[in-house]
Amino acid sequence: MLSRLRENIIPLTVALSLLMELIDATVLATAIPVIARDLSVPVLSLKMAMATYLIALAAFVPISGWIADRIGARRTFLAAMGVFLVASLLCAIQTSVTGLVLARALQGIGAAMMSPVGRLIVLRHTSKEEMTRAMVYVTLPALIGPALGPFVGATVTTFLGWRSIFLMNLPLGALAIWLTLRHMPADGPPEPKPFDFPGFVLSAVGLASVMTGFSALGEHILPWQAAVALSVAGVALLVLYWLRARNTSEPLLDLRLFRHRTFDVSITGGLIFRLSNGAISLLLPLFFQLGLGASVMVSGALTGLNAVGAVSLRTFVPRILDRFGFKWVMIWAAVIRGATIFGFLTVTSIHDWQLIPLLLIGGAAQSVVFTAINSIGFADLDLREMSPATAFTAMSRQVSLALGIALAGVVLELTAGAAATTTGAEMIPIHAFLWGFAIAGATGPLSALYFMRLRRGDADGLRRKRRTVEPYGSSRERFHAPQSKEAREAAE
């Protein structure tokens, strides 16, 4: 056990930093009603604090690869963790929604450098045959974080107050920095590359505008006219970026990566699939607390069960993929995940028998898809394409999560009506959550349709081949029965 940990110390160090990041991304959801009461603001206005973190991540991730190549991946990784920890302290001292949103944006900027650069370090020190195994360690925080985040956040909020949830990052961050300094390999010589500044402005401002505008719908932060105008302007900027990138030799986000079918399926299909993850991260805590009347602690425990199911199956996923291949495993897992979300339409009490199976099975199916799409995106790439692909992958993940949160928030506001203005003290009718679960569930089969673009043999290079021993006497036998002395002399 210890020898395996030493062999995987780099993935584990990166995983620890991502665990810090992902706990922070999920810990806020369970505490939303408590924060709303403390700050005297509508519950759904705080969806902006959740989404802003992801928006900043998506906007600044594209330059992470260039910075890592320019000044070194290890230095970038350490600096990013420092920014993240400072921003965590700022979040803990805020007294208004606006201040919390701004502090969360700074956290997102730090995480934007931390997540993709950490993955890049792992990819540069891992063979393709071992990539799926390494990604198990790296992507494990995506499952443990959501499992620990809600319950830890509920416990800390209950006993220490919601501000303390941001201070949990400090010991984790200190340990991650120590492990990085002790075990991370030194940076090689810098690789100066031209910086696509116009591309960065178009992509960063475009992404931030689209997601901020969409997340601000509901008039808690901006008037709806301003939110719509911001979204439209963002779309226009992204179209301009796409037109420009087609004729640029070194674009910030290299759209030519989509010529690889495995990369396309990973990014596009993964974006569709992750919309449900973002939506559920907002819907479930509110559903349990303001829909079913559960306490913060019970809500945190139930929300965490979704990730517990994912963690329980995680170590078996590489074996499943090795045995059955990527395509049909991904398709069936996505369909099952969608079905479990549809199952929440039948829940009317926290005592309903189907609630816990839905959470556990849905989490297990989610873990299968996450492991697969995190691996196949790099199956056909060469070493030069790893850095831009890592940034693209991290950006698409944050975009899908932010859009999922925004979509769930908009749907809930439309269906909840006046109840959407609650500050966390009043209940929201159960029927107000139904459309949110229905739309989130539909992303499962929709992503499965896109996964069908994979062909037989795609990503087989990531599968460990079983060594076969031919039966004795076959024409392909690798081992021969020992010959007698007389037989050997006759053969000579």
Side-chain angles (χ1 to χ4, degrees):
M1 180 67 176
L2 289 176
S3 62
R4 173 162 292 190
L5 290 177
R6 293 190 193 98
E7 291 171 0
N8 293 281
I9 192 65
I10 295 176
L12 286 170
T13 301
V14 172
L16 180 60
S17 69
L18 299 187
L19 178 63
M20 174 178 65
E21 171 194 327
L22 287 160
I23 286 181
D24 202 74
T26 57
V27 75
L28 190 63
T30 304
I32 278 180
V34 176
I35 298 174
R37 287 196 297 270
D38 187 38
L39 300 183
S40 300
V41 296
V43 165
L44 292 178
S45 69
L46 289 171
K47 74 179 188 293
M48 195 66 198
M50 291 180 64
T52 300
Y53 176 81
L54 301 171
I55 291 168
L57 259 170
F60 284 87
V61 153
I63 64 171
S64 61
W66 179 85
I67 293 176
D69 291 338
R70 186 77 178 181
I71 68 172
R74 184 170 180 263
R75 296 187 191 96
T76 305
F77 192 59
L78 287 168
M81 285 192 285
V83 172
F84 188 86
L85 294 180
V86 170
S88 297
L89 285 172
L90 292 177
C91 287
I93 63 174
Q94 298 307 312
T95 58
S96 68
V97 173
T98 302
L100 184 59
V101 167
L102 293 175
R104 291 282 285 173
L106 183 60
Q107 266 192 320
I109 293 173
M113 305 297 161
M114 191 162 57
S115 174
V117 173
R119 284 172 177 266
L120 180 60
I121 292 170
V122 173
L123 289 169
R124 286 177 174 176
H125 295 85
T126 306
S127 66
K128 286 203 172 185
E129 292 78 12
E130 295 297 325
M131 191 179 295
T132 301
R133 266 75 187 170
M135 283 301 169
V136 167
Y137 290 104
V138 175
T139 59
L140 191 60
L143 304 172
I144 295 179
L148 294 178
F151 184 71
V152 171
T155 304
V156 172
T157 300
T158 301
F159 295 103
L160 301 176
W162 66 266
R163 300 179 189 280
S164 299
I165 63 178
F166 296 105
L167 301 178
M168 294 189 302
N169 293 325
L170 302 184
L172 287 175
L175 178 58
I177 289 174
W178 179 78
L179 287 172
T180 301
L181 291 170
R182 183 177 177 82
H183 296 290
M184 199 72 73
D187 293 312
E191 302 176 23
K193 295 180 179 179
F195 179 53
D196 182 17
F197 183 75
F200 169 67
V201 172
L202 289 173
S203 64
V205 177
L207 284 170
S209 298
V210 168
M211 293 191 292
T212 301
F214 194 33
S215 300
L217 289 174
E219 302 193 10
H220 296 302
I221 301 294
L222 297 173
W224 71 266
Q225 298 93 333
V228 171
L230 199 58
S231 299
V232 172
V235 170
L237 291 174
L238 291 177
V239 170
L240 288 175
Y241 175 82
W242 177 72
L243 293 173
R244 184 181 181 278
R246 296 170 63 189
N247 301 310
T248 302
S249 59
E250 294 286 344
L252 186 67
L253 293 170
D254 193 353
L255 303 178
R256 291 169 296 187
L257 293 170
F258 283 90
R259 73 182 184 276
H260 301 292
R261 185 170 50 255
T262 48
F263 183 81
D264 179 28
V265 169
S266 173
I267 297 298
T268 309
L271 190 150
I272 298 170
F273 182 81
R274 284 193 175 99
L275 286 172
S276 67
N277 202 37
I280 288 299
S281 69
L282 177 68
L283 288 174
L284 282 184
L286 298 183
F287 179 61
F288 292 143
Q289 293 180 55
L290 303 183
L292 302 182
S295 66
V296 175
M297 294 287 288
V298 172
S299 172
L302 289 174
T303 303
L305 281 179
N306 190 63
V308 169
V311 174
S312 65
L313 191 65
R314 192 63 165 187
T315 56
F316 299 101
V317 175
R319 299 180 188 178
I320 296 172
L321 295 172
D322 287 346
R323 175 67 179 84
F324 299 103
F326 283 79
K327 179 177 179 178
W328 289 105
V329 170
M330 292 170 63
I331 289 171
W332 281 110
V335 170
I336 292 171
R337 171 62 169 166
T340 59
I341 297 176
F342 283 132
F344 290 120
L345 298 174
T346 67
V347 175
T348 58
S349 167
I350 59 171
H351 303 294
D352 285 353
W353 67 268
Q354 70 270 35
L355 179 57
I356 291 178
L358 287 173
L359 291 167
L360 292 175
I361 296 172
Q366 174 184 288
S367 75
V368 174
V369 178
F370 277 0
T371 300
I373 60 179
N374 278 316
S375 299
I376 65 169
F378 303 94
D380 299 321
L381 306 184
D382 59 37
L383 191 60
R384 292 179 296 105
E385 294 173 316
M386 289 292 186
S387 180
T390 302
F392 219 134
T393 300
M395 183 203 70
S396 68
R397 182 171 61 252
Q398 309 311 328
V399 167
S400 60
L401 293 175
L403 290 179
I405 291 171
L407 178 62
V410 170
V411 171
L412 189 55
E413 288 187 87
L414 292 175
T415 55
T421 63
T422 177
T423 60
E426 302 99 13
M427 300 289 285
I428 295 178
I430 291 180
H431 67 78
F433 293 91
L434 299 185
W435 274 107
F437 287 131
I439 293 173
T443 62
L446 285 176
S447 61
L449 288 175
Y450 206 87
F451 294 154
M452 293 187 72
R453 293 194 66 242
L454 289 173
R455 298 177 184 172
R456 181 187 294 273
D458 279 350
D460 273 0
L462 303 180
R463 298 168 64 187
R464 281 188 175 181
K465 305 298 189 296
R466 293 185 175 184
R467 296 180 59 186
T468 58
V469 178
E470 299 293 333
Y472 177 70
S474 69
S475 59
R476 296 172 59 191
E477 64 186 73
R478 297 180 183 180
F479 304 99
H480 303 277
Q483 294 179 317
S484 65
K485 181 178 179 181
E486 292 78 7
R488 289 196 300 271
E489 290 175 350
E492 294 172 353

